[in-house]
Amino acid sequence: MFTSEDCFIRFIYDKFWFSIRVGNRGAEVINCKASIELLNPDDRHRDKIFIQVAENLTLLVKTWYVDIDLTKKINLRLLRKLQDVINNDEEILIRFLFTGIDQRNGTPVTFLKCFSSKNLKFGHWFNPVNAKNRGRNTFNFKWRNFNSIEPMDFEKVNEFKTL
């Protein structure tokens, strides 16, 4: 398991999303859960969680986006905190935890990664997986393109900042 080098604010389907891309080169993972926490990076207050959100998925095949819809009312606190981080150059720690079960052998899978404020970017991934069909049921993924991104338009960045 691995994630993108950065986490992103993306604009797709006429909505803003907070996104982390997850990759899986092994067997399918089932009963997946992704948890994202925004924490105070000050060591004295490391346990202070500003916001915690979670998303469930039944199956992770090769790649998956942990996408949190920032236009939903339930995610308003997350939106406001991300805007504060961007508009005021605030420091924050973004902790990402992914868990699931390896479908092949039933063992638990856990992956943890932390991002800093410097890892929060605006952009879109190029062709999400750049997969080419190599047969009826197999795909050849170009993993070298996993982190390829396209910057977000300046107008959309400003729109996000003033939502």
Side-chain angles (χ1 to χ4, degrees):
M1 302 291 309
F2 55 98
T3 67
S4 49
E5 294 168 359
D6 297 305
C7 47
F8 293 89
I9 294 171
R10 305 190 301 153
F11 185 78
I12 355 178
Y13 311 119
D14 296 324
K15 297 179 181 183
F16 284 97
W17 302 79
F18 175 77
S19 300
I20 297 173
R21 188 166 183 197
V22 180
N24 173 28
R25 291 186 180 165
E28 285 80 10
V29 179
I30 58 174
N31 298 330
C32 305
K33 181 178 181 180
S35 173
I36 298 169
E37 298 173 333
L38 275 61
L39 301 114
N40 184 337
D42 184 345
D43 287 337
R44 293 170 298 165
H45 305 288
R46 180 70 69 179
D47 295 332
K48 182 177 179 187
I49 298 174
F50 293 118
I51 296 157
Q52 183 174 27
V53 292
E55 185 175 308
N56 295 310
L57 183 72
T58 352
L59 176 69
L60 169 64
V61 183
K62 292 294 174 198
T63 65
W64 178 44
Y65 296 98
V66 177
D67 278 331
I68 308 296
D69 183 350
L70 296 172
T71 62
K72 286 187 175 179
K73 190 175 183 176
I74 193 168
N75 296 323
L76 185 60
R77 284 186 62 223
L78 176 61
L79 169 66
R80 295 295 176 239
K81 190 62 185 174
L82 291 172
Q83 287 173 322
D84 286 346
V85 168
I86 291 162
N87 292 333
N88 304 320
D89 289 327
E90 280 188 29
E91 289 296 316
I92 196 143
L93 182 67
I94 301 165
R95 186 165 54 191
F96 173 72
L97 175 64
F98 179 88
T99 59
I101 305 293
D102 185 310
Q103 187 180 21
R104 245 185 338 213
N105 55 23
T107 58
V109 174
T110 303
F111 178 82
L112 175 70
K113 182 168 183 177
C114 292
F115 300 93
S116 75
S117 305
K118 293 170 183 61
N119 296 111
L120 181 59
K121 312 279 183 185
F122 287 94
H124 308 282
W125 281 280
F126 292 120
N127 189 0
V129 237
N130 292 323
K132 295 198 176 187
N133 197 341
R134 294 280 191 221
R136 260 175 91 154
N137 297 317
T138 60
F139 292 93
N140 180 21
F141 290 91
K142 294 182 181 176
W143 292 105
R144 69 181 176 271
N145 295 327
F146 186 77
N147 286 300
S148 299
I149 63 152
E150 176 181 326
M152 186 183 287
D153 295 336
F154 182 73
E155 294 81 24
K156 285 293 173 200
V157 171
N158 283 336
E159 185 181 331
F160 173 82
K161 290 179 177 182
T162 59
L163 276 178

